[in-house]
Amino acid sequence: QKEVEQNSGPLSVPEGAIASLNCTYSDRGSQSFFWYRQYSGKSPELIMFIYSNGDKEDGRFTAQLNKASQYVSLLIRDSQPSDSATYLCALDSGGYQKVTFGTGTKLQVIP
Amino acid sequence: ETGVTQSPTHLIKTRGQQVTLRCSSQSGHNTVSWYQQALGQGPQFIFQYYREEENGRGNFPPRFSGLQFPNYSSELNVNALELDDSALYLCASSPTRQGPADTQYFGPGTRLTVL
């Protein structure tokens, strides 16, 4: 079982819709969770991080964490074509900032 | 722009050769981590350097080695290159080696192709 699992997609949503990206993880001891956005050929960019159960909102982005179900999600409201990218779910799995990534979900926002 | 720079941008090598990749960390950051991202995969942690010493290592063979210099810049060296080493190599710097990784910033990466 992979440590961080994501559906590779592509996930296609129309412009203005809500995109929902999901991730599950195997290590119950994981404490910190991240969502990175990666455009083709570019490096990952941190867009959200969450440490506590519940929701965390930042602009059009909402991260959701359920530690009991070992589940993390990212909602993107009012999706824009510029949101088209690969979204990487990640967690901090060591005391020295070793970040473990999923394989990413490719999001396509259709104008 | 994160303030983390990497060189070169692209590199082509042949199997069996050796390669050195370079990273300059963001000002004030003393910790550098290296990741390998194969096509279609997420980044995988190679190792981390803190104040010139290796501070943790992922599941990579010893032919992957590194250095950190007194100014906190870093090098990744790969010996005896294999075709599967073809990937985007990412450097990330952070101001501390502990705590959550929300202060870790990635450089633009070096694309290595092994023929």
mmCIF file of all heavy atoms in Angstrom, chain A residues 2 8 32 34 36 38 41-46 49 51 86 88 92 94-104, chain B residues 33 35 37 40-43 45 48 55-57 88 90 94 96-104 106-108:
data_model
loop_
_atom_site.group_PDB
_atom_site.id
_atom_site.type_symbol
_atom_site.label_atom_id
_atom_site.label_comp_id
_atom_site.label_asym_id
_atom_site.label_seq_id
_atom_site.Cartn_x
_atom_site.Cartn_y
_atom_site.Cartn_z
ATOM 1 N N LYS A 2 0.585 2.169 -0.915
ATOM 2 C CA LYS A 2 1.359 3.394 -0.977
ATOM 3 C C LYS A 2 1.021 4.249 0.233
ATOM 4 O O LYS A 2 -0.098 4.229 0.747
ATOM 5 C CB LYS A 2 1.046 4.147 -2.267
ATOM 6 C CG LYS A 2 1.565 3.451 -3.516
ATOM 7 C CD LYS A 2 1.296 4.273 -4.744
ATOM 8 C CE LYS A 2 1.819 3.586 -5.986
ATOM 9 N NZ LYS A 2 1.517 4.350 -7.199
ATOM 10 N N SER A 8 -5.152 9.530 -10.241
ATOM 11 C CA SER A 8 -4.293 10.283 -11.160
ATOM 12 C C SER A 8 -5.071 11.169 -12.126
ATOM 13 O O SER A 8 -4.509 12.092 -12.724
ATOM 14 C CB SER A 8 -3.397 9.330 -11.944
ATOM 15 O OG SER A 8 -4.184 8.446 -12.705
ATOM 16 N N SER A 32 1.070 16.538 9.649
ATOM 17 C CA SER A 32 0.971 17.731 8.809
ATOM 18 C C SER A 32 0.673 17.317 7.379
ATOM 19 O O SER A 32 1.311 16.401 6.864
ATOM 20 C CB SER A 32 2.287 18.518 8.843
ATOM 21 O OG SER A 32 2.723 18.737 10.155
ATOM 22 N N PHE A 34 -0.324 18.621 3.259
ATOM 23 C CA PHE A 34 -0.094 19.715 2.335
ATOM 24 C C PHE A 34 -0.733 19.428 0.983
ATOM 25 O O PHE A 34 -0.850 18.273 0.562
ATOM 26 C CB PHE A 34 1.423 19.914 2.127
ATOM 27 C CG PHE A 34 2.200 20.002 3.412
ATOM 28 C CD1 PHE A 34 2.758 18.865 3.974
ATOM 29 C CD2 PHE A 34 2.369 21.216 4.055
ATOM 30 C CE1 PHE A 34 3.463 18.932 5.162
ATOM 31 C CE2 PHE A 34 3.069 21.286 5.244
ATOM 32 C CZ PHE A 34 3.622 20.150 5.799
ATOM 33 N N TYR A 36 0.058 20.741 -2.905
ATOM 34 C CA TYR A 36 0.925 21.473 -3.810
ATOM 35 C C TYR A 36 0.284 21.498 -5.193
ATOM 36 O O TYR A 36 -0.334 20.534 -5.619
ATOM 37 C CB TYR A 36 2.297 20.795 -3.933
ATOM 38 C CG TYR A 36 3.195 20.918 -2.725
ATOM 39 C CD1 TYR A 36 3.052 20.064 -1.631
ATOM 40 C CD2 TYR A 36 4.206 21.874 -2.690
ATOM 41 C CE1 TYR A 36 3.893 20.163 -0.537
ATOM 42 C CE2 TYR A 36 5.054 21.988 -1.592
ATOM 43 C CZ TYR A 36 4.891 21.125 -0.527
ATOM 44 O OH TYR A 36 5.723 21.228 0.562
ATOM 45 N N GLN A 38 1.304 21.927 -9.211
ATOM 46 C CA GLN A 38 2.463 21.823 -10.088
ATOM 47 C C GLN A 38 2.018 21.964 -11.531
ATOM 48 O O GLN A 38 1.318 21.112 -12.072
ATOM 49 C CB GLN A 38 3.199 20.497 -9.889
ATOM 50 C CG GLN A 38 4.501 20.403 -10.669
ATOM 51 C CD GLN A 38 5.318 19.168 -10.330
ATOM 52 O OE1 GLN A 38 4.767 18.129 -9.951
ATOM 53 N NE2 GLN A 38 6.645 19.265 -10.444
ATOM 54 N N GLY A 41 6.141 20.978 -16.192
ATOM 55 C CA GLY A 41 7.526 21.415 -16.350
ATOM 56 C C GLY A 41 8.029 22.339 -15.264
ATOM 57 O O GLY A 41 9.176 22.797 -15.316
ATOM 58 N N LYS A 42 7.186 22.631 -14.272
ATOM 59 C CA LYS A 42 7.568 23.542 -13.186
ATOM 60 C C LYS A 42 7.699 22.782 -11.876
ATOM 61 O O LYS A 42 7.357 21.602 -11.782
ATOM 62 C CB LYS A 42 6.520 24.652 -13.032
ATOM 63 C CG LYS A 42 6.303 25.472 -14.294
ATOM 64 C CD LYS A 42 7.552 26.245 -14.667
ATOM 65 C CE LYS A 42 7.286 27.151 -15.853
ATOM 66 N NZ LYS A 42 8.523 27.902 -16.252
ATOM 67 N N SER A 43 8.179 23.458 -10.839
ATOM 68 C CA SER A 43 8.328 22.821 -9.536
ATOM 69 C C SER A 43 7.042 22.969 -8.725
ATOM 70 O O SER A 43 6.203 23.826 -9.017
ATOM 71 C CB SER A 43 9.515 23.432 -8.797
ATOM 72 O OG SER A 43 9.304 24.798 -8.564
ATOM 73 N N PRO A 44 6.852 22.137 -7.706
ATOM 74 C CA PRO A 44 5.638 22.227 -6.888
ATOM 75 C C PRO A 44 5.575 23.540 -6.102
ATOM 76 O O PRO A 44 6.594 24.044 -5.631
ATOM 77 C CB PRO A 44 5.778 21.035 -5.932
ATOM 78 C CG PRO A 44 6.760 20.115 -6.573
ATOM 79 C CD PRO A 44 7.702 21.010 -7.317
ATOM 80 N N GLU A 45 4.356 24.038 -5.958
ATOM 81 C CA GLU A 45 4.104 25.271 -5.218
ATOM 82 C C GLU A 45 3.103 24.945 -4.111
ATOM 83 O O GLU A 45 2.013 24.437 -4.382
ATOM 84 C CB GLU A 45 3.533 26.318 -6.171
ATOM 85 C CG GLU A 45 3.074 27.591 -5.499
ATOM 86 C CD GLU A 45 2.221 28.451 -6.419
ATOM 87 O OE1 GLU A 45 1.875 27.994 -7.527
ATOM 88 O OE2 GLU A 45 1.878 29.581 -6.015
ATOM 89 N N LEU A 46 3.456 25.245 -2.864
ATOM 90 C CA LEU A 46 2.555 24.973 -1.745
ATOM 91 C C LEU A 46 1.362 25.927 -1.794
ATOM 92 O O LEU A 46 1.541 27.141 -1.844
ATOM 93 C CB LEU A 46 3.305 25.137 -0.428
ATOM 94 C CG LEU A 46 2.501 24.860 0.841
ATOM 95 C CD1 LEU A 46 2.085 23.395 0.922
ATOM 96 C CD2 LEU A 46 3.315 25.249 2.081
ATOM 97 N N PHE A 49 -1.922 24.123 3.630
ATOM 98 C CA PHE A 49 -1.470 23.144 4.601
ATOM 99 C C PHE A 49 -2.484 23.084 5.735
ATOM 100 O O PHE A 49 -3.170 24.073 6.019
ATOM 101 C CB PHE A 49 -0.071 23.456 5.134
ATOM 102 C CG PHE A 49 0.084 24.799 5.774
ATOM 103 C CD1 PHE A 49 -0.159 24.979 7.135
ATOM 104 C CD2 PHE A 49 0.492 25.893 5.021
ATOM 105 C CE1 PHE A 49 0.008 26.217 7.719
ATOM 106 C CE2 PHE A 49 0.652 27.137 5.607
ATOM 107 C CZ PHE A 49 0.407 27.300 6.955
ATOM 108 N N TYR A 51 -3.305 21.013 9.685
ATOM 109 C CA TYR A 51 -2.785 20.160 10.744
ATOM 110 C C TYR A 51 -3.889 19.561 11.610
ATOM 111 O O TYR A 51 -3.701 18.530 12.240
ATOM 112 C CB TYR A 51 -1.826 20.942 11.653
ATOM 113 C CG TYR A 51 -0.740 21.673 10.912
ATOM 114 C CD1 TYR A 51 -0.389 22.972 11.259
ATOM 115 C CD2 TYR A 51 -0.065 21.074 9.859
ATOM 116 C CE1 TYR A 51 0.613 23.646 10.583
ATOM 117 C CE2 TYR A 51 0.930 21.746 9.175
ATOM 118 C CZ TYR A 51 1.269 23.027 9.541
ATOM 119 O OH TYR A 51 2.257 23.692 8.866
ATOM 120 N N THR A 86 -1.409 19.822 -12.069
ATOM 121 C CA THR A 86 -1.414 18.605 -11.254
ATOM 122 C C THR A 86 -1.353 19.003 -9.789
ATOM 123 O O THR A 86 -0.534 19.851 -9.404
ATOM 124 C CB THR A 86 -0.224 17.698 -11.609
ATOM 125 O OG1 THR A 86 -0.367 17.246 -12.956
ATOM 126 C CG2 THR A 86 -0.171 16.487 -10.687
ATOM 127 N N LEU A 88 -0.701 17.846 -6.003
ATOM 128 C CA LEU A 88 -0.003 16.824 -5.229
ATOM 129 C C LEU A 88 -0.418 16.904 -3.767
ATOM 130 O O LEU A 88 -0.315 17.969 -3.140
ATOM 131 C CB LEU A 88 1.512 17.027 -5.315
ATOM 132 C CG LEU A 88 2.141 16.921 -6.708
ATOM 133 C CD1 LEU A 88 3.516 17.584 -6.721
ATOM 134 C CD2 LEU A 88 2.256 15.470 -7.129
ATOM 135 N N ASP A 92 3.980 15.305 6.008
ATOM 136 C CA ASP A 92 5.279 15.405 6.662
ATOM 137 C C ASP A 92 5.434 14.168 7.525
ATOM 138 O O ASP A 92 4.757 14.036 8.534
ATOM 139 C CB ASP A 92 5.304 16.685 7.500
ATOM 140 C CG ASP A 92 6.693 17.021 7.980
ATOM 141 O OD1 ASP A 92 7.558 16.129 7.995
ATOM 142 O OD2 ASP A 92 6.905 18.186 8.344
ATOM 143 N N GLY A 94 8.302 12.782 8.876
ATOM 144 C CA GLY A 94 9.461 12.615 9.745
ATOM 145 C C GLY A 94 9.736 13.874 10.533
ATOM 146 O O GLY A 94 9.274 14.950 10.177
ATOM 147 N N GLY A 95 10.516 13.745 11.567
ATOM 148 C CA GLY A 95 10.846 14.900 12.391
ATOM 149 C C GLY A 95 11.745 15.882 11.689
ATOM 150 O O GLY A 95 11.977 16.975 12.191
ATOM 151 N N TYR A 96 12.261 15.499 10.512
ATOM 152 C CA TYR A 96 13.192 16.393 9.828
ATOM 153 C C TYR A 96 12.623 16.858 8.492
ATOM 154 O O TYR A 96 13.345 17.027 7.528
ATOM 155 C CB TYR A 96 14.544 15.714 9.633
ATOM 156 C CG TYR A 96 14.484 14.315 9.067
ATOM 157 C CD1 TYR A 96 14.460 14.089 7.699
ATOM 158 C CD2 TYR A 96 14.454 13.208 9.911
ATOM 159 C CE1 TYR A 96 14.405 12.802 7.185
ATOM 160 C CE2 TYR A 96 14.399 11.918 9.405
ATOM 161 C CZ TYR A 96 14.378 11.729 8.051
ATOM 162 O OH TYR A 96 14.312 10.460 7.550
ATOM 163 N N GLN A 97 11.322 17.082 8.437
ATOM 164 C CA GLN A 97 10.674 17.676 7.273
ATOM 165 C C GLN A 97 10.825 16.827 6.017
ATOM 166 O O GLN A 97 10.928 17.360 4.922
ATOM 167 C CB GLN A 97 11.199 19.093 7.001
ATOM 168 C CG GLN A 97 10.965 20.044 8.154
ATOM 169 C CD GLN A 97 11.191 21.495 7.770
ATOM 170 O OE1 GLN A 97 11.710 21.793 6.708
ATOM 171 N NE2 GLN A 97 10.789 22.399 8.642
ATOM 172 N N LYS A 98 10.830 15.536 6.156
ATOM 173 C CA LYS A 98 10.772 14.659 4.989
ATOM 174 C C LYS A 98 9.327 14.630 4.516
ATOM 175 O O LYS A 98 8.435 14.192 5.231
ATOM 176 C CB LYS A 98 11.212 13.243 5.359
ATOM 177 C CG LYS A 98 10.977 12.220 4.244
ATOM 178 C CD LYS A 98 11.175 10.814 4.770
ATOM 179 C CE LYS A 98 10.741 9.799 3.720
ATOM 180 N NZ LYS A 98 10.807 8.415 4.237
ATOM 181 N N VAL A 99 9.081 15.160 3.330
ATOM 182 C CA VAL A 99 7.724 15.241 2.801
ATOM 183 C C VAL A 99 7.489 14.064 1.862
ATOM 184 O O VAL A 99 8.278 13.819 0.951
ATOM 185 C CB VAL A 99 7.496 16.576 2.077
ATOM 186 C CG1 VAL A 99 6.066 16.650 1.539
ATOM 187 C CG2 VAL A 99 7.746 17.742 3.032
ATOM 188 N N THR A 100 6.407 13.346 2.097
ATOM 189 C CA THR A 100 6.027 12.214 1.255
ATOM 190 C C THR A 100 4.865 12.640 0.377
ATOM 191 O O THR A 100 3.840 13.113 0.885
ATOM 192 C CB THR A 100 5.630 11.004 2.117
ATOM 193 O OG1 THR A 100 6.746 10.628 2.921
ATOM 194 C CG2 THR A 100 5.219 9.830 1.238
ATOM 195 N N PHE A 101 5.036 12.487 -0.916
ATOM 196 C CA PHE A 101 4.046 12.945 -1.887
ATOM 197 C C PHE A 101 3.252 11.795 -2.481
ATOM 198 O O PHE A 101 3.759 10.673 -2.641
ATOM 199 C CB PHE A 101 4.746 13.661 -3.048
ATOM 200 C CG PHE A 101 5.340 14.998 -2.710
ATOM 201 C CD1 PHE A 101 6.593 15.106 -2.131
ATOM 202 C CD2 PHE A 101 4.632 16.161 -2.993
ATOM 203 C CE1 PHE A 101 7.139 16.337 -1.831
ATOM 204 C CE2 PHE A 101 5.166 17.399 -2.704
ATOM 205 C CZ PHE A 101 6.423 17.488 -2.121
ATOM 206 N N GLY A 102 2.018 12.096 -2.864
ATOM 207 C CA GLY A 102 1.261 11.206 -3.726
ATOM 208 C C GLY A 102 1.692 11.416 -5.172
ATOM 209 O O GLY A 102 2.541 12.265 -5.464
ATOM 210 N N THR A 103 1.083 10.670 -6.078
ATOM 211 C CA THR A 103 1.468 10.778 -7.484
ATOM 212 C C THR A 103 0.785 11.950 -8.182
ATOM 213 O O THR A 103 1.168 12.299 -9.291
ATOM 214 C CB THR A 103 1.122 9.489 -8.233
ATOM 215 O OG1 THR A 103 -0.264 9.214 -8.069
ATOM 216 C CG2 THR A 103 1.947 8.314 -7.721
ATOM 217 N N GLY A 104 -0.176 12.567 -7.524
ATOM 218 C CA GLY A 104 -0.820 13.748 -8.079
ATOM 219 C C GLY A 104 -2.078 13.451 -8.864
ATOM 220 O O GLY A 104 -2.223 12.370 -9.451
ATOM 221 N N SER B 33 16.841 20.160 1.260
ATOM 222 C CA SER B 33 16.400 18.794 0.951
ATOM 223 C C SER B 33 16.413 18.601 -0.555
ATOM 224 O O SER B 33 16.133 19.542 -1.302
ATOM 225 C CB SER B 33 14.990 18.557 1.484
ATOM 226 O OG SER B 33 14.938 18.734 2.887
ATOM 227 N N TYR B 35 14.935 16.163 -3.792
ATOM 228 C CA TYR B 35 13.887 15.236 -4.213
ATOM 229 C C TYR B 35 14.111 14.853 -5.673
ATOM 230 O O TYR B 35 14.608 15.659 -6.465
ATOM 231 C CB TYR B 35 12.505 15.887 -4.089
ATOM 232 C CG TYR B 35 12.059 16.163 -2.674
ATOM 233 C CD1 TYR B 35 12.501 17.293 -1.989
ATOM 234 C CD2 TYR B 35 11.180 15.308 -2.018
ATOM 235 C CE1 TYR B 35 12.098 17.547 -0.693
ATOM 236 C CE2 TYR B 35 10.752 15.558 -0.717
ATOM 237 C CZ TYR B 35 11.220 16.685 -0.068
ATOM 238 O OH TYR B 35 10.805 16.932 1.227
ATOM 239 N N GLN B 37 11.914 13.569 -8.984
ATOM 240 C CA GLN B 37 10.560 13.403 -9.522
ATOM 241 C C GLN B 37 10.625 12.799 -10.916
ATOM 242 O O GLN B 37 10.954 13.482 -11.884
ATOM 243 C CB GLN B 37 9.798 14.727 -9.546
ATOM 244 C CG GLN B 37 8.332 14.546 -9.946
ATOM 245 C CD GLN B 37 7.521 15.822 -9.851
ATOM 246 O OE1 GLN B 37 8.066 16.917 -9.880
ATOM 247 N NE2 GLN B 37 6.196 15.693 -9.735
ATOM 248 N N GLY B 40 5.437 11.647 -14.339
ATOM 249 C CA GLY B 40 4.159 11.073 -13.930
ATOM 250 C C GLY B 40 4.089 10.645 -12.477
ATOM 251 O O GLY B 40 3.082 10.072 -12.054
ATOM 252 N N GLN B 41 5.137 10.933 -11.714
ATOM 253 C CA GLN B 41 5.178 10.546 -10.296
ATOM 254 C C GLN B 41 5.279 11.782 -9.416
ATOM 255 O O GLN B 41 5.576 12.879 -9.887
ATOM 256 C CB GLN B 41 6.390 9.641 -10.036
ATOM 257 C CG GLN B 41 6.409 8.374 -10.881
ATOM 258 C CD GLN B 41 5.243 7.473 -10.569
ATOM 259 O OE1 GLN B 41 4.918 7.224 -9.406
ATOM 260 N NE2 GLN B 41 4.592 6.978 -11.611
ATOM 261 N N GLY B 42 5.060 11.579 -8.115
ATOM 262 C CA GLY B 42 5.304 12.656 -7.178
ATOM 263 C C GLY B 42 6.775 12.685 -6.801
ATOM 264 O O GLY B 42 7.501 11.706 -7.010
ATOM 265 N N PRO B 43 7.246 13.803 -6.274
ATOM 266 C CA PRO B 43 8.642 13.868 -5.817
ATOM 267 C C PRO B 43 8.922 12.825 -4.743
ATOM 268 O O PRO B 43 8.068 12.551 -3.900
ATOM 269 C CB PRO B 43 8.765 15.284 -5.264
ATOM 270 C CG PRO B 43 7.671 16.062 -5.930
ATOM 271 C CD PRO B 43 6.555 15.085 -6.100
ATOM 272 N N PHE B 45 11.747 11.863 -1.693
ATOM 273 C CA PHE B 45 12.803 12.416 -0.846
ATOM 274 C C PHE B 45 14.083 11.626 -1.013
ATOM 275 O O PHE B 45 14.102 10.401 -0.863
ATOM 276 C CB PHE B 45 12.322 12.369 0.598
ATOM 277 C CG PHE B 45 13.310 12.838 1.627
ATOM 278 C CD1 PHE B 45 13.494 14.191 1.862
ATOM 279 C CD2 PHE B 45 14.024 11.924 2.381
ATOM 280 C CE1 PHE B 45 14.386 14.630 2.827
ATOM 281 C CE2 PHE B 45 14.916 12.350 3.347
ATOM 282 C CZ PHE B 45 15.102 13.707 3.575
ATOM 283 N N GLN B 48 18.468 15.085 3.156
ATOM 284 C CA GLN B 48 18.420 16.450 3.658
ATOM 285 C C GLN B 48 19.769 16.797 4.289
ATOM 286 O O GLN B 48 20.402 15.936 4.922
ATOM 287 C CB GLN B 48 17.325 16.594 4.705
ATOM 288 C CG GLN B 48 17.156 18.003 5.258
ATOM 289 C CD GLN B 48 16.129 18.065 6.383
ATOM 290 O OE1 GLN B 48 16.428 17.795 7.538
ATOM 291 N NE2 GLN B 48 14.897 18.421 6.030
ATOM 292 N N ASN B 55 21.151 14.895 7.298
ATOM 293 C CA ASN B 55 20.227 14.887 8.426
ATOM 294 C C ASN B 55 19.065 13.907 8.218
ATOM 295 O O ASN B 55 18.106 13.929 8.963
ATOM 296 C CB ASN B 55 19.674 16.305 8.613
ATOM 297 C CG ASN B 55 18.832 16.443 9.845
ATOM 298 O OD1 ASN B 55 19.215 16.014 10.922
ATOM 299 N ND2 ASN B 55 17.646 17.017 9.695
ATOM 300 N N GLY B 56 19.151 13.078 7.221
ATOM 301 C CA GLY B 56 18.082 12.134 6.928
ATOM 302 C C GLY B 56 18.192 11.702 5.492
ATOM 303 O O GLY B 56 18.624 12.495 4.637
ATOM 304 N N ARG B 57 17.812 10.483 5.191
ATOM 305 C CA ARG B 57 17.969 9.937 3.850
ATOM 306 C C ARG B 57 16.778 9.068 3.495
ATOM 307 O O ARG B 57 16.267 8.331 4.345
ATOM 308 C CB ARG B 57 19.262 9.108 3.785
ATOM 309 C CG ARG B 57 19.647 8.674 2.395
ATOM 310 C CD ARG B 57 20.968 7.917 2.410
ATOM 311 N NE ARG B 57 21.366 7.581 1.052
ATOM 312 C CZ ARG B 57 22.164 8.312 0.284
ATOM 313 N NH1 ARG B 57 22.681 9.421 0.769
ATOM 314 N NH2 ARG B 57 22.470 7.942 -0.939
ATOM 315 N N LEU B 88 13.262 14.931 -12.928
ATOM 316 C CA LEU B 88 13.408 16.309 -12.470
ATOM 317 C C LEU B 88 13.945 16.250 -11.043
ATOM 318 O O LEU B 88 13.347 15.593 -10.184
ATOM 319 C CB LEU B 88 12.053 17.020 -12.517
ATOM 320 C CG LEU B 88 12.016 18.483 -12.072
ATOM 321 C CD1 LEU B 88 12.786 19.374 -13.048
ATOM 322 C CD2 LEU B 88 10.571 18.972 -11.940
ATOM 323 N N LEU B 90 14.702 18.191 -7.684
ATOM 324 C CA LEU B 90 14.227 19.379 -6.991
ATOM 325 C C LEU B 90 14.998 19.582 -5.697
ATOM 326 O O LEU B 90 15.239 18.637 -4.949
ATOM 327 C CB LEU B 90 12.734 19.236 -6.673
ATOM 328 C CG LEU B 90 11.808 19.147 -7.879
ATOM 329 C CD1 LEU B 90 10.465 18.539 -7.474
ATOM 330 C CD2 LEU B 90 11.593 20.527 -8.480
ATOM 331 N N SER B 94 14.649 25.349 3.684
ATOM 332 C CA SER B 94 13.781 25.774 4.779
ATOM 333 C C SER B 94 14.636 26.400 5.872
ATOM 334 O O SER B 94 15.840 26.129 5.966
ATOM 335 C CB SER B 94 12.968 24.604 5.312
ATOM 336 O OG SER B 94 13.801 23.543 5.693
ATOM 337 N N THR B 96 14.579 25.901 9.017
ATOM 338 C CA THR B 96 14.828 25.025 10.146
ATOM 339 C C THR B 96 14.667 23.582 9.711
ATOM 340 O O THR B 96 13.954 23.300 8.762
ATOM 341 C CB THR B 96 13.865 25.344 11.308
ATOM 342 O OG1 THR B 96 14.077 24.385 12.348
ATOM 343 C CG2 THR B 96 12.419 25.244 10.853
ATOM 344 N N ARG B 97 15.313 22.678 10.411
ATOM 345 C CA ARG B 97 15.211 21.265 10.050
ATOM 346 C C ARG B 97 14.047 20.578 10.759
ATOM 347 O O ARG B 97 13.725 19.443 10.466
ATOM 348 C CB ARG B 97 16.504 20.522 10.411
ATOM 349 C CG ARG B 97 16.801 20.502 11.896
ATOM 350 C CD ARG B 97 18.007 19.634 12.194
ATOM 351 N NE ARG B 97 18.417 19.763 13.591
ATOM 352 C CZ ARG B 97 19.310 18.982 14.159
ATOM 353 N NH1 ARG B 97 19.880 18.020 13.473
ATOM 354 N NH2 ARG B 97 19.644 19.165 15.419
ATOM 355 N N GLN B 98 13.410 21.266 11.698
ATOM 356 C CA GLN B 98 12.328 20.642 12.449
ATOM 357 C C GLN B 98 11.038 21.413 12.244
ATOM 358 O O GLN B 98 11.016 22.489 11.668
ATOM 359 C CB GLN B 98 12.698 20.598 13.934
ATOM 360 C CG GLN B 98 13.867 19.668 14.219
ATOM 361 C CD GLN B 98 14.168 19.600 15.700
ATOM 362 O OE1 GLN B 98 13.961 20.551 16.422
ATOM 363 N NE2 GLN B 98 14.657 18.452 16.146
ATOM 364 N N GLY B 99 9.974 20.831 12.720
ATOM 365 C CA GLY B 99 8.676 21.466 12.587
ATOM 366 C C GLY B 99 8.043 21.118 11.265
ATOM 367 O O GLY B 99 8.669 20.504 10.397
ATOM 368 N N PRO B 100 6.807 21.518 11.075
ATOM 369 C CA PRO B 100 6.107 21.193 9.826
ATOM 370 C C PRO B 100 6.771 21.855 8.629
ATOM 371 O O PRO B 100 7.435 22.875 8.753
ATOM 372 C CB PRO B 100 4.695 21.744 10.052
ATOM 373 C CG PRO B 100 4.833 22.732 11.141
ATOM 374 C CD PRO B 100 5.971 22.289 11.994
ATOM 375 N N ALA B 101 6.551 21.247 7.479
ATOM 376 C CA ALA B 101 7.283 21.640 6.276
ATOM 377 C C ALA B 101 6.601 22.754 5.502
ATOM 378 O O ALA B 101 6.842 22.903 4.304
ATOM 379 C CB ALA B 101 7.491 20.419 5.388
ATOM 380 N N ASP B 102 5.774 23.552 6.168
ATOM 381 C CA ASP B 102 5.098 24.609 5.420
ATOM 382 C C ASP B 102 6.019 25.774 5.096
ATOM 383 O O ASP B 102 5.634 26.685 4.370
ATOM 384 C CB ASP B 102 3.869 25.117 6.189
ATOM 385 C CG ASP B 102 4.204 25.648 7.565
ATOM 386 O OD1 ASP B 102 4.927 24.964 8.305
ATOM 387 O OD2 ASP B 102 3.747 26.753 7.899
ATOM 388 N N THR B 103 7.243 25.749 5.639
ATOM 389 C CA THR B 103 8.208 26.797 5.307
ATOM 390 C C THR B 103 9.258 26.308 4.330
ATOM 391 O O THR B 103 10.277 26.956 4.118
ATOM 392 C CB THR B 103 8.908 27.300 6.585
ATOM 393 O OG1 THR B 103 9.507 26.168 7.246
ATOM 394 C CG2 THR B 103 7.928 27.989 7.504
ATOM 395 N N GLN B 104 9.028 25.149 3.733
ATOM 396 C CA GLN B 104 9.972 24.580 2.774
ATOM 397 C C GLN B 104 9.611 25.072 1.374
ATOM 398 O O GLN B 104 8.484 24.899 0.922
ATOM 399 C CB GLN B 104 9.901 23.058 2.837
ATOM 400 C CG GLN B 104 10.883 22.337 1.958
ATOM 401 C CD GLN B 104 10.780 20.825 2.125
ATOM 402 O OE1 GLN B 104 10.205 20.146 1.300
ATOM 403 N NE2 GLN B 104 11.349 20.295 3.200
ATOM 404 N N PHE B 106 10.537 25.192 -2.808
ATOM 405 C CA PHE B 106 11.214 24.458 -3.873
ATOM 406 C C PHE B 106 11.865 25.406 -4.883
ATOM 407 O O PHE B 106 11.337 26.466 -5.196
ATOM 408 C CB PHE B 106 10.229 23.559 -4.623
ATOM 409 C CG PHE B 106 9.891 22.301 -3.872
ATOM 410 C CD1 PHE B 106 8.826 22.269 -2.990
ATOM 411 C CD2 PHE B 106 10.652 21.158 -4.036
ATOM 412 C CE1 PHE B 106 8.517 21.115 -2.288
ATOM 413 C CE2 PHE B 106 10.349 19.998 -3.345
ATOM 414 C CZ PHE B 106 9.281 19.976 -2.464
ATOM 415 N N GLY B 107 13.016 24.969 -5.395
ATOM 416 C CA GLY B 107 13.627 25.638 -6.529
ATOM 417 C C GLY B 107 12.978 25.173 -7.819
ATOM 418 O O GLY B 107 12.094 24.307 -7.803
ATOM 419 N N PRO B 108 13.427 25.728 -8.961
ATOM 420 C CA PRO B 108 12.802 25.415 -10.248
ATOM 421 C C PRO B 108 13.128 24.017 -10.770
ATOM 422 O O PRO B 108 12.446 23.530 -11.676
ATOM 423 C CB PRO B 108 13.354 26.485 -11.184
ATOM 424 C CG PRO B 108 14.647 26.877 -10.558
ATOM 425 C CD PRO B 108 14.457 26.747 -9.077
#
